Amino acid sequence: MDSELYPADRIGKAAAAAGAAGLDALLLTPGPDLRYVAGYDAPALERLTCLAVPADGDAFLAVPRLELPAALASPAGGLGLDVIAWDETEDPYALVAGRLSGAAAIGLSDRMWALMVLRFRAAMPAVRQEPASLALRGLRARKTPAEAAALMAAAAAIDRVHARVPGWLLAGRTEREVAADICDAMIEEGHAGVDFAIVASGPNAASPHHTAASRVLQPGDAVVVDIGGTMASGYCSDCTRTYAIGEPPADFAEYYQVLRDAQDAACAAVRPGIAAEAVDAAAREPITAAGYGEYFVHRTGHGIGLETHEDPYIVPGNTEPLEDGNAFSVEPGIYPGRHGARIEDIVICTPDGSRRLNRVTRELVIVAAP
């Protein structure tokens, strides 16, 4: 699995992409960029771990000596890299800079700590710093078949959790209690870690990123459940469904159908060559036409992979055409204030359209109230 998800040719592709972006090297510290290029899920520490990928030359990995065994045991250890272990009394920034003495422009991991950015600036004061995404975003946004399979496994795992959610949505329980059950279930159903568990009931459902709180679930509540985690593969899940405890208010039922139709329309619009903003428009236009446009307050979607949010972003103004292999959420929402609703699936752009990865029902699930 590691050799398929994190193939050895990634370093060469990253080097070529760096050169095409006008960068002399990429400097990748712990986070999704490093894991994507070398397969090393390194711990984020104050001690520098850095993969240097010159556009022209051999890549090397600098690690603290105490992290050397873990680095060699990771997929990065099988790539034939020059792995340099630095000792506590050495300056690893000077070490990296010394091996890139001719560089004029470098790309730094987008998630690199500010401390490290500043240390690299001090070690290479004449070198222009740019985000590594100038080179890597196109590679990371186009998922390989192995990456698509990893996202499918993540989607299936989160679907199994959603299938269990109705059993926890009982009037008299708190949002926080339901979220705790969901977090346990995410691990039980195959995730290695929990990233978030939004349980938003009643008026809280009108807050798209509500944090589960002490509010007690009540009959008639709409409940937005947006949950996601990370699999052992490193790839993420993210899926939202909306539930009702007993019969929901009539106005809620009316706009839920509008939302369902809008989400279907956006998924149907996905195909190679269409602008990302056109998918957003496919969701936004029917919601606006039905009179709910002011209550759709966020973009339609975000890319997903080694991060829950990454390129491409399905948002007005993004004119970039979608490509085969792009994976992203389609998640329109309507939030009038008294309640709210959202439906979210992960989709992958395919040569002839798209494929939804989430299969759990999109119908409004009504949980019997006492």
Side-chain angles (χ1 to χ4, degrees), residues 112-146:
M112 184 181 288
W113 290 359
L115 168 69
M116 296 175 177
V117 173
L118 295 173
R119 292 287 299 274
F120 275 125
R121 177 167 291 174
M124 295 181 279
V127 176
R128 187 177 84 252
Q129 295 181 338
E130 300 284 356
S133 57
L134 288 179
L136 296 180
R137 66 185 298 269
L139 293 175
R140 287 185 53 190
R142 294 188 300 274
K143 269 52 179 183
T144 65

Side-chain angles (χ1 to χ4, degrees), residues 188-201:
E188 292 167 5
E189 298 295 349
H191 291 82
V194 173
D195 294 332
F196 54 91
I198 295 172
V199 178
S201 63

Side-chain angles (χ1 to χ4, degrees), residues 4-266:
E4 295 177 358
L5 266 180
Y6 303 105
D9 65 355
R10 283 261 175 87
I11 288 182
K13 290 180 177 179
L23 302 174
D24 297 302
L26 301 176
L27 297 181
L28 309 180
T29 49
D33 288 335
L34 174 58
R35 190 167 189 181
Y36 177 81
V37 172
Y40 183 23
D41 186 20
L45 304 170
E46 77 284 0
R47 296 180 175 95
L48 180 70
T49 291
C50 181
L51 174 66
V53 184
D56 184 15
D58 294 330
F60 61 93
L61 178 64
V63 299
R65 186 168 297 280
L66 78 166
E67 298 296 334
L68 180 62
L72 294 176
S74 78
L79 298 179
L81 293 169
D82 185 7
V83 181
I84 305 164
W86 59 270
D87 294 308
E88 297 282 17
T89 56
E90 293 183 276
D91 179 351
Y93 299 89
L95 183 157
V96 172
R99 294 181 62 131
L100 298 173
S101 57
I106 55 172
L108 305 179
S109 288
D110 288 24
R111 303 292 180 263
M112 184 181 288
W113 290 359
L115 168 69
M116 296 175 177
V117 173
L118 295 173
R119 292 287 299 274
F120 275 125
R121 177 167 291 174
M124 295 181 279
V127 176
R128 187 177 84 252
Q129 295 181 338
E130 300 284 356
S133 57
L134 288 179
L136 296 180
R137 66 185 298 269
L139 293 175
R140 287 185 53 190
R142 294 188 300 274
K143 269 52 179 183
T144 65
E147 289 180 285
L151 287 169
M152 289 178 67
I158 208 66
D159 280 356
R160 292 192 295 271
V161 178
H162 265 296
R164 297 171 61 183
V165 165
W168 301 315
L169 293 178
L170 304 177
R173 304 193 75 207
T174 67
E175 293 174 344
R176 195 173 288 122
E177 288 170 338
V178 175
D181 288 335
I182 288 172
C183 291
D184 290 342
M186 277 196 266
I187 301 301
E188 292 167 5
E189 298 295 349
H191 291 82
V194 173
D195 294 332
F196 54 91
I198 295 172
V199 178
S201 63
N204 292 338
S207 174
H209 280 175
H210 173 71
T211 299
S214 59
R215 185 182 185 276
V216 176
L217 276 59
Q218 302 170 22
D221 276 351
V223 186
V224 173
V225 177
D226 182 350
I227 54 179
T230 301
M231 304 290 281
S233 65
Y235 285 76
C236 300
S237 67
D238 187 3
C239 183
T240 306
R241 293 294 185 262
T242 301
Y243 303 84
I245 302 176
E247 285 299 320
D251 57 339
F252 173 87
E254 178 180 324
Y255 73 70
Y256 187 85
Q257 187 58 51
V258 172
L259 180 65
R260 172 76 191 277
D261 293 343
Q263 205 254 359
D264 284 342

